[in-house]
Amino acid sequence: MKKTLLTILAFAAALSLAVGPVFAKDVNDEIKDLKKRLQQLELKSNKSKILWSGDVRVEAHNITGETAEYYNGLAVQELMLNSMFYYFGNATGPMDPMALPMNPDGSINTTLVNNFIADPNNYVAYQQFLGNVDFAQIPTAMGDMLGAMAVAMGMNPATMTAADWAALQGQAQMAMAQATGLIPAQKIDNDILYTTRLRLNLDAEVSKDVSFAARLSMYKPWGSSTQVGMFNGTPSSMSFDANWPGVPGDATLKVDRAYFNWNNIAGQPMYLSLGRRPSTGGPPLHYRHDESRAGTPMGTIIDMQFDGATFGYHFGDKTALRACYGLGYESQYGNGTLGQNLDNVLKDASFFGFNIDAWDTPELHVQTTIARAFNLTDGFNGFVIMPNNPVTGQAMPGPIVTRYSPSVNLGDFDLASLLVAGKNGDFDWFVTGSWSKSRPDDPATTTPFGGFFTDPFQVAEEQTGSMYYLGARYNFNKDKTKVGLEWNHGSQYWFNFAPAQDDLIAPKTNTRGTVWEGYVTHRITRKFVVKLAYITYDYDYSGSGWHLGAPKDLETAQILGFPTYKTAHKLSLGFSARF
């Protein structure tokens, strides 16, 4: 367009010279009009210009560790269902002790069960049984078997207390676990794993008080081409948009962030921001990457992508209050609920909270984030490859990609965190304390993966967790070189929303145990950074990062749905080019 207008201007000028002064006035007016239009176009072009920035990071990792010894919970589930089929295929009445597949010493006789299932006369019935198993009906069926077990042990089911039943259930589970066999601890050694991450930032001024920002990213391991991995009992092994920024997958460019800010509303220091939120990499997680603050909420409790809104108010240049809303699960759109009884449709899972920068200066930063998740579900919509059917425990026929959708609302969940960070000369430091509390619905609900910090078929109760996270960094050579050390420890029932945390093994801030991390960063040039880092995890309890299932002490062998790290270590060397 600009070239065309310039051509027209040149032609008009030539025409003016050619026809003489008779038409000079008209031609001059025309030229002025064209110049004005050209200036308007140039102004419009500058306003709509998108500013691009970003970085590309290439890293090499060495990962070692050891899993905890355990009993395979899914194998226990399979044996329980198979024993149930045997029991009801042989029982002559309720609580029939003679129909139990048990040896005189109380152990499970798996030979009886397997032979019964292998009998050609029972094959069709067995397949029908597996196809019709309803998770909600399993406790009732198990109750009859436990009653038979009580009779076999000389107990009177009619006079047994709740504690007696709980003890008997635990005894039955352990008998089945022992029948499946103890899986010993195993060494983990991935001698080399390469990753490449690309991030593209877009910024634009829409109008005087309205701006736009977005980030597109790609993050993948070398030699891998799929975002969907095999489920290992943690949210990082599922593919859903909340964890994309920090979990390597495929080579597609995804939208991490996309939002606009409407500033200076009504001439006041307040703003409204809507869209896909800048909610990953929040303080104090940016220190170890030698980056500026990357997210609004504290990364100690929220490090995940979500869609939502923020309304902020600045009290001067050092204090800001932000009210934040987010939606984690839309229960109706896309979930086939048309025509269903709405009483049977799940509620949306959302959260609301406050993020307060109480004091923000280069020398001291004090921040708190407080949030409540409402109607939290047993996960979010996503894709996964399940190794086993969680209801029957049967192995899946192959690596089938499955769309996972939540099945229940579990209740509400509270989170709070406080950060104090400072800079004294060349020394940076921070201290955080975080708290969490589950609030199960009444009556509490459960799933094949368990309920709020409980195993399947158990009743969830309120649980409180805590996590402490400290760090310090020393800056050398005019801030070109930085050496840091960080430590964090989470309690048995600690849980946060950090599936997007960029730690590869597992988000370090959701660890139920202790994590140490040391690193050195060096700016070869102002925007070209090399980083050497070592991180080590020592897990005390199972299920870190997952709000389903009972966290269990890993010092002793436990029934676990999936193998879990007891210790893990990662040595990384990487280069980041920022532009």
Side-chain angles (χ1 to χ4, degrees), residues 121-149:
N121 295 322
N122 297 326
Y123 177 77
V124 174
Y126 179 64
Q127 296 303 319
Q128 291 175 338
F129 170 75
L130 293 180
N132 295 323
V133 169
D134 185 342
F135 175 75
Q137 295 177 349
I138 291 178
T140 302
M142 278 296 298
D144 196 271
M145 288 182 63
L146 285 174
M149 185 175 174

Side-chain angles (χ1 to χ4, degrees), residues 193-196 218-226 247-251 504:
L193 171 64
Y194 300 102
T195 59
T196 297
M218 182 279 296
Y219 189 18
K220 74 181 294 292
W222 291 13
S224 178
S225 58
T226 175
V247 178
D250 59 25
L504 206 55

Side-chain angles (χ1 to χ4, degrees), residues 64-75:
T64 57
E66 185 174 67
T67 60
E69 63 177 5
Y70 75 111
Y71 296 100
N72 186 337
L74 289 169

Side-chain angles (χ1 to χ4, degrees), residues 132-436:
N132 295 323
V133 169
D134 185 342
F135 175 75
Q137 295 177 349
I138 291 178
T140 302
M142 278 296 298
D144 196 271
M145 288 182 63
L146 285 174
M149 185 175 174
V151 172
M153 298 174 65
M155 305 169 71
N156 183 357
T159 60
M160 290 174 62
T161 65
D164 293 333
W165 284 109
L168 188 63
Q169 182 176 346
Q171 189 174 344
Q173 284 182 336
M174 187 49 65
M176 291 188 180
Q178 291 173 342
T180 63
L182 179 66
I183 298 177
Q186 295 180 339
K187 298 288 185 181
I188 305 298
D189 186 2
N190 189 342
D191 57 350
I192 192 70
L193 171 64
Y194 300 102
T195 59
T196 297
R197 186 191 67 184
L198 169 67
R199 300 190 298 189
L200 299 174
N201 303 312
L202 298 80
D203 294 278
E205 293 296 325
V206 178
S207 61
K208 180 182 177 184
D209 292 318
V210 180
S211 61
F212 157 80
R215 187 169 77 187
L216 313 177
S217 74
M218 182 279 296
Y219 189 18
K220 74 181 294 292
W222 291 13
S224 178
S225 58
T226 175
Q227 191 72 42
V228 186
M230 188 70 72
F231 186 60
N232 63 10
T234 70
S236 298
S237 59
M238 298 183 68
S239 174
F240 61 119
D241 65 352
N243 69 6
W244 282 345
V247 178
D250 59 25
T252 56
L253 201 61
K254 306 175 181 68
V255 179
D256 287 354
R257 304 172 177 185
Y259 59 93
F260 68 80
N261 291 329
W262 177 20
N263 301 301
N264 197 31
I265 298 175
Q268 299 299 311
M270 55 187 181
Y271 73 96
L272 175 66
S273 182
L274 297 175
R276 193 153 174 75
R277 312 307 304 147
S279 51
T280 56
L285 293 167
H286 60 291
Y287 282 98
R288 57 184 180 150
H289 299 308
D290 191 11
E291 293 179 341
S292 301
R293 174 181 181 174
T296 300
M298 289 180 58
T300 48
I301 57 174
I302 297 176
D303 197 348
M304 64 182 290
Q305 288 297 159
F306 60 86
D307 309 297
T310 295
F311 179 80
Y313 192 95
H314 293 276
F315 299 90
D317 58 352
K318 300 180 179 62
T319 303
L321 170 66
R322 300 177 180 87
C324 305
Y325 164 81
L327 186 62
Y329 172 62
E330 159 57 45
S331 61
Q332 297 194 40
Y333 179 82
N335 291 314
T337 57
L338 286 178
Q340 290 189 16
N341 185 342
L342 291 181
D343 293 337
N344 299 325
V345 175
L346 300 188
K347 300 174 184 175
D348 291 349
S350 60
F351 86 89
F352 182 81
F354 293 96
N355 189 80
I356 304 170
D357 289 358
W359 191 260
D360 187 16
T361 66
E363 295 77 25
L364 180 65
H365 179 78
V366 180
Q367 180 183 352
T368 184
T369 301
I370 304 167
R372 168 170 287 190
F374 299 91
N375 304 311
L376 188 60
T377 49
D378 54 329
F380 304 104
N381 277 345
F383 292 95
V384 69
I385 299 173
M386 297 296 298
N388 295 79
N389 184 319
V391 176
T392 67
Q394 298 272 323
M396 298 296 283
I400 301 173
V401 177
T402 304
R403 180 181 186 268
Y404 177 85
S405 291
S407 61
V408 296
N409 292 111
L410 298 168
D412 299 338
F413 196 82
D414 294 342
L415 288 162
S417 191
L418 175 66
L419 163 69
V420 180
K423 183 174 183 60
N424 299 90
D426 294 325
F427 189 67
D428 301 318
W429 57 271
F430 64 84
V431 178
T432 75
S434 304
W435 170 89
S436 66

Side-chain angles (χ1 to χ4, degrees), residues 9-66:
L9 285 172
F11 177 75
L15 181 64
S16 175
L17 292 174
V19 299
V22 176
F23 303 104
K25 184 177 183 301
D26 292 340
V27 172
N28 286 335
D29 290 344
E30 193 70 20
I31 291 173
K32 288 179 181 178
D33 182 64
L34 290 171
K35 284 183 177 178
K36 185 178 179 181
R37 291 171 59 189
L38 177 60
Q39 289 172 348
Q40 290 176 341
L41 284 172
E42 289 178 335
L43 180 62
K44 182 178 180 181
S45 174
N46 288 333
K47 281 187 175 179
S48 63
K49 185 179 295 180
I50 295 177
L51 300 178
W52 289 82
S53 62
D55 65 88
V56 60
R57 186 187 71 189
V58 177
E59 292 185 315
H61 312 273
N62 173 266
I63 297 174
T64 57
E66 185 174 67

